[in-house]
Amino acid sequence: MEKKTRFILNYDEVSTDVPSGMVTLDFLRRNHGLTATREGCREGDCGACMVLLGELRNGGVLYRAVNSCLLPVGDLRGRHLVTVEGLNGPALLPIQQAIVDEGATQCGFCTPGFVVSLAGFLLSSPRWDQDAAMDAVAGNLCRCTGYLSVRRAVARLCATLGTAGPPSSQAERLSLLVDRRLVPPNLKMISRRLAALAEPPSPGPAEGGTVAWVAGGTDLFAQRPEELQECALHFLSQDDELRGIRVEQGRCAIGAATPLSDIEDSTELQACLPDLQRCLRLVASRSIRHRATISGNIVNASPIGDLTILLLALDAKLTLSDGRHKRTLHLSEFFAGYKKINKRPGELLLDVHFALPRPGTVFHFEKVSRRAHLDIASVNSAMLAECEAGVISVLHLSAGGVAPIPLYLARTAQTLLGKPLTASAARSALASAREEIAPISDVRGSADYKRRLLERLLIAHLLRLDPRLEEELAL
Ligand SMILES: Cc1cc2nc3c(=O)[nH]c(=O)nc-3n(C[C@H](O)[C@H](O)[C@H](O)COP(=O)(O)OP(=O)(O)OC[C@H]3O[C@@H](n4cnc5c(N)ncnc54)[C@H](O)[C@@H]3O)c2cc1C
Ligand code: FES
Ligand code: FES
């Protein structure tokens, strides 16, 4: 029999035995009548179903806006779930007042989602500026307002925050927000109540039956939500050992269940990979990145997985374990064919690790999709390169959307390694890439279009190494 899931819903403790794979959106609307959390696309695309998920972190509670249509109830264990009803008080919050004052609501269907996303921005964004606030609502769609009024409401809210930025400790941030009446005061009581709810991590699911590892669930619950209600689920994000970013002795190890937003916000990674934040902003929306993990991106083996393409160019390695034996293999060896991976039954991906780029290394990522934001790639590609005395001494290239697997362009890189970057060397590399790829025509473009795209992306990488090539290649 499945163990009950205990958590706090708004300000009440809940203990439920609904299937752990039921999505939180349904649980809220059907089992609790909390219908301000709206049902739109059920695929993580519209933001109407946004809720806050709070968990104990560094002595405080870290709240993040997440899409409840992709959030399984089993993963609420020991956490605080806040809906817009839980944010409401006797008077409108400044977020809500700004939306009213700027006419940023018309039919109102999307409005609870915007309110929750902006509350999440206040509670967890590393910066309190307008750019970060707009990114926080990038996953919220509105059919009525045309967004200009939303932009004004966001600007109005940010103007009340001042320029000092959020305090670094979660507890201090919460106190400040409560003192300024930006979030409800009851949130201050939650950390103690969550500590009292804490349970030892459960062991993995028993052998047999259909078992699924759930990391962020953003892929699983978008693809097969009904089927997952019947499975025994094991929630990797509940295991602290699988989360976190460790940087030591020139290497970085990222726990498999680390959400992408943690990677995006890591100051240690920003110091070595200054462009990484821009790259990650091209992946889904901030609310999806709060849940989506690095291991889900790799194990789902999508030929266009953005993180996978970034990590291939970082020449990353994986640590896998079946509970008895650990093994390490290059990410480039992990993909065996379309959606076929080099993973034994029962093997869990523990972490991803890579050497940190040295000063002077050029790391560059390009993604082309039909929409600039909130869209998956038609073709994506990354490059990591080092030059010594005008000669390319290190080069890793990757490309997505041009083969059945996320491709490590080994032969293309080989044509340039140990050579000065001349126009003729660049042309040889492009010819080699044409041989190495095998794109197909699909909804994201014809095979010929993808070939041409990849060629342009490779040129964009090489121009980062030497902008003079533009003239020499007569572009
Ligand atoms: C709205 C939306 C937008 C998206 N946009 C993008 C985008 O722009 N770019 C992009 O690349 N992707 C995108 N995705 C796809 C998806 O969100 C990402 O691939 C994400 O990284 C998947 O991670 P997850 O943790 O949610 O995976 P999950 O759904 O939890 O898991 C995916 C698979 O991996 C397995 N798995 C997970 N972790 C492990 C582990 N440690 N060991 C063994 N098996 C494991 C699971 O069992 C499952 O089979 C989008 C998805 C949505 C819903
Ligand atoms: S219902 Fe659209 S994002 Fe959840
Ligand atoms: S106000 Fe109608 S969808 Fe946004």
Side-chain angles (χ1 to χ4, degrees), residues 44 50 92 114 139 159 176 189 192 197 203 248 254 264 268 272 315 323 337 364 372 377 382-383 387 390 401 449:
M50 209 65 81
L92 290 182
F114 274 96
L176 189 137
M189 318 300 290
R192 199 171 30 83
L197 265 191
E248 45 190 37
I254 304 181
E264 183 182 352
E268 278 171 308
C272 314
D315 198 25
H364 186 232
M383 174 195 78
C387 290
Y449 170 67

Side-chain angles (χ1 to χ4, degrees), residues 104-111 114 141-145:
T105 179
Q106 286 180 27
C107 79
F109 184 81
C110 66
T111 310
F114 274 96
L141 300 187
C142 173
R143 281 177 169 249
C144 305
T145 63

Side-chain angles (χ1 to χ4, degrees), residues 278-285 289 297 304-307 309-310 364-382 400 444 449 453 457 460-461:
R278 177 196 67 87
C279 304
L280 284 169
R281 271 202 180 189
L282 298 174
V283 181
S285 58
R289 298 196 297 276
N297 203 276
I304 45 171
D306 290 315
L307 263 289
I309 293 302
L310 285 162
H364 186 232
F365 172 71
E366 292 279 350
K367 170 174 177 175
V368 178
S369 41
R370 284 172 302 179
R371 285 188 308 196
H373 291 279
L374 247 187
D375 202 359
I376 47 176
S378 296
V379 174
N380 49 6
S381 175
R444 283 185 280 279
Y449 170 67
L453 264 186
L457 301 191
H461 293 325

